[in-house]
């Protein structure tokens, strides 16, 4: 049978291709990879996906990832054959993506000044963050190629998710974390799920380069978002949002930006859906950096050496990125934010992120720690839980509305990426009566 899915280099002038069973995170020339599909999925699947919301005891219908399996069928299975699904697809009992869909949080809407605002709490995944969407697909690929050990670097959520799936699939798992910079709840999960934690002196960028080096020396299968199979699973975040809107795209989709896996995945998802004729309009992407870890903001908006970094139809000025990284290294500039999940200075997916921003005519904003904390607290006042990095979403939307980039009557989807795993952060916030949404205790 001819392969229906394959891996392909993202750079148009290179375009090297590899079979699905190859284990690699880049092409032979060192460029990132996409998973590509040869057949165009019929739009009649929209009805199939909707019907699967009554899962009829099938965990692959229950799963908010595998419910859309025809749009990420890199295993090339008969998607209606439950036996094949059970043998090949990894799922934590159908729980990934099961509970996440957009929700109207009225207090956030009033605060940011947009009524058609929908926030999607991806923190309500089994390990407590959006990572499960992509980890279930990365581990599915790992299983396809008979992997016994996975490896990742993490600011905490990736390691929790990786460790959870590894435990359930009987794989070993090594996680490299920046020492002292990971929320206690996230670290606890890695220990609890049996992963080997390796503490690295330095930040996430240092942990990632160490873990990638280990992986290249046979230390395990990388499950960070540089793995193109992770990106496939994270597309389902957008599938669920679009399905909720009857596949009528919103004006905006807003994410916090860290390593830019989500940004990349959202871009790939929209590029495919548009090419396949599933959507007629392309939403604009807004990525929100923390002020303390704002590499994308700086480069995209021309705040370093003046020129604005763009994908430029596949010919980005990578030397500008290199010069900025050298400038940071030389001047001892380190990422610093209380939102440790996005404390990242060298976003590994920056080129895919730029491609996504170009395709969607996107924007990049930045917000302060205080603004993120207010955003987080406000989500809490709607009865939902999110961590500080996710608070960047309401904070970023507010800022973009004030700048009249997002219009008050636009339809906006914001992704709340993770659940609170450091209870000290809201406790400190609410004890301080000076904070905007503080709820201090009485004595
Ligand atoms: N929000 C949360 C809660 C995260 O944990 C992360 C990344 C992001 C946003 C940024 O997403 O990398 O796709 O731009 N956390 C990674 C980790 C780096 O190791 O858990 P991104």
């Amino acid at each position: 049978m001819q392969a229906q899915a394959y891996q392909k280099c993202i750079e148009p002038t290179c375009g090297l291709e590899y079979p699905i069973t190859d284990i690699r995170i880049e092409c032979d020339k060192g460029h990132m990879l996409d998973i590509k599909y040869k057949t165009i999925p019929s739009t009649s699947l929209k009805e199939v996906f909707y019907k699967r919301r009554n899962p009829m005891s099938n965990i692959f219908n229950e799963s908010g990832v595998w419910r859309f399996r025809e749009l990420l069928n890199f295993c090339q299975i008969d998607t209606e054959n439950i036996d094949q699904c059970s043998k090949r697809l990894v799922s934590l009992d159908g729980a990934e993506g099961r509970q996440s869909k957009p929700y109207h949080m009225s207090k956030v809407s009033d605060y940011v000044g947009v009524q058609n605002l929908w926030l999607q709490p991806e923190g309500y995944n089994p390990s407590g963050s959006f990572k499960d969407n992509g980890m279930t697909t990365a581990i599915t690929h790992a299983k396809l190629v008979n992997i016994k050990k996975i490896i990742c670097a993490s600011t905490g959520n990736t390691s929790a998710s990786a460790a959870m799936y590894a435990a359930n699939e009987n794989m070993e798992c090594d996680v490299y974390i920046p020492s002292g910079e990971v929320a206690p709840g996230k670290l606890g999960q890695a220990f609890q799920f049996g992963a080997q934690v390796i503490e690295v002196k330095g930040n996430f960028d240092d942990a990632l380069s160490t873990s990638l080096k280990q992986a290249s020396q046979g230390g395990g299968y990388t499950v960070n978002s540089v793995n193109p199979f992770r990106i496939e699973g994270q597309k389902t975040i957008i599938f669920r949002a679009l399905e909720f809107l009857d596949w009528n795209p919103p004006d905006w989709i807003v994410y916090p930006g860290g390593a830019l896996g989500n940004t990349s995945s959202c871009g790939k998802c929209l590029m495919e859906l548009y090419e396949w004729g599933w959507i007629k309009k392309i939403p604009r992407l807004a990525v929100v950096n923390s002020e303390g870890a704002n590499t994308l903001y700086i480069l995209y908006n021309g705040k370093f050496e003046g020129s604005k970094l763009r994908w430029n139809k596949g010919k980005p000025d990578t030397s500008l990125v290199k010069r900025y990284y050298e400038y940071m290294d030389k001047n001892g500039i380190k990422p610093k934010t209380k939102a440790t999940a996005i404390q990242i200075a060298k976003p590994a997916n920056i080129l895919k992120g730029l491609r996504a921003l170009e395709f969607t005519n996107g924007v990049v904003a930045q917000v302060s720690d205080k603004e993120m904390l207010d955003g987080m607290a406000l989500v809490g006042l709607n009865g939902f839980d999110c961590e500080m990095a996710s608070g960047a979403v309401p904070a970023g939307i507010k800022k973009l509305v004030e700048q009249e980039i997002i219009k008050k009557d636009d339809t906006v989807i914001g992704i709340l990426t993770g659940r609170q795993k450091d209870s000290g952060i809201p406790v400190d916030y609410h004890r301080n009566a000076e904070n905007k949404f503080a709820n201090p205790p009485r004595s």
Side-chain angles (χ1 to χ4, degrees), residues 55 57-64 66 82 91-96:
S57 310
N58 176 340
I59 63 159
F60 304 103
N61 292 348
E62 214 175 303
S63 163
W66 296 120
I82 181 84
S91 173
L92 202 99
D93 201 19
E96 56 283 328

Side-chain angles (χ1 to χ4, degrees), residues 129-131 153-159 186 204 224-225 234 256-263 341-342 344 387 389-390 417-418:
S129 83
F130 75 89
K131 307 282 178 181
S154 184
T155 57
N157 281 325
T158 298
S159 51
K186 299 176 184 176
F204 169 81
N224 280 101
S225 52
Q234 284 171 215
L260 304 178
N262 261 334
T263 308
I342 53 173
I344 296 172
E387 68 168 89
S390 309
T417 44

Side-chain angles (χ1 to χ4, degrees), residues 9-10 22 28 34 48 93 97 128 155 194 216 248 348 361 364 384 389 403 418:
C9 166
I10 65 164
D22 264 27
D28 287 341
D34 271 338
V48 174
D93 201 19
T155 57
S216 72
N248 295 315
N361 186 23
V364 183
F384 280 81
Q403 293 168 357

Side-chain angles (χ1 to χ4, degrees), residues 363-377:
V363 300
V364 183
Q366 66 171 356
V367 292
S368 67
D369 277 13
K370 194 172 172 337
E371 289 166 324
M372 278 188 273
L373 285 168
D374 289 341
M376 176 197 81

Side-chain angles (χ1 to χ4, degrees), residues 103-112 117-124 256 371-397 414-420 426 429-430 436-438:
Y103 189 80
H104 180 70
M105 300 186 192
S106 56
K107 288 175 190 153
V108 180
S109 273
D110 291 346
Y111 179 64
V112 304
L117 170 66
W118 306 88
L119 296 177
Q120 184 160 315
E122 289 296 325
Y124 290 20
E371 289 166 324
M372 278 188 273
L373 285 168
D374 289 341
M376 176 197 81
L378 195 57
V379 168
L381 286 174
N382 281 264
F384 280 81
D385 181 42
C386 77
E387 68 168 89
M388 186 172 163
S390 309
V393 168
I397 297 171
I415 310 299
L416 299 177
T417 44
R419 237 186 139 124
Q420 185 59 260
Y429 178 89
H430 288 290
K436 194 174 274 166
F437 302 108

Side-chain angles (χ1 to χ4, degrees), residues 175-319:
V175 304
Y176 288 74
I177 58 150
S179 182
E181 301 285 346
V182 169
K186 299 176 184 176
L187 191 55
Q189 285 178 296
F191 287 130
Q192 185 66 11
F193 295 138
Q196 176 62 60
V197 173
I198 299 123
E199 295 184 308
V200 176
K201 270 210 195 91
N203 54 43
F204 169 81
D205 305 303
D206 303 314
L208 182 62
S209 58
T210 312
S211 87
L212 290 176
K213 193 159 158 235
Q214 287 295 325
S216 72
Q217 295 166 354
Y221 171 99
T222 294
V223 296
N224 280 101
S225 52
V226 290
N227 176 331
F229 295 93
R230 270 276 307 272
I231 300 297
E232 289 308 284
Q234 284 171 215
K235 293 190 308 191
T236 65
I237 296 170
I238 300 305
F239 296 156
R240 294 192 293 277
L242 288 175
E243 184 186 60
F244 181 82
L245 298 174
D246 277 333
W247 299 92
N248 295 315
D251 297 299
W252 291 94
I253 298 175
V254 188
Y255 283 105
L260 304 178
N262 261 334
T263 308
S264 306
S265 173
C266 180
K268 181 173 191 274
C269 170
L270 296 173
M271 283 158 68
E272 287 177 343
L273 291 178
Y274 191 73
E275 190 188 311
W276 294 339
W278 280 54
I279 54 171
K280 301 277 175 264
K281 168 182 146 181
I282 304 167
R284 295 183 73 185
L285 190 48
V287 182
V288 188
N289 269 168
S290 150
E291 277 176 4
N294 60 356
T295 298
L296 184 68
Y297 173 83
I298 296 268
L299 294 176
Y300 192 74
N301 295 310
K303 310 263 179 205
F304 176 71
E305 294 184 1
S307 67
K308 294 182 176 177
L309 181 66
R310 290 291 182 271
W311 172 243
N312 194 21
K313 299 198 173 90
K315 293 197 184 80
D317 180 4
T318 48
S319 67

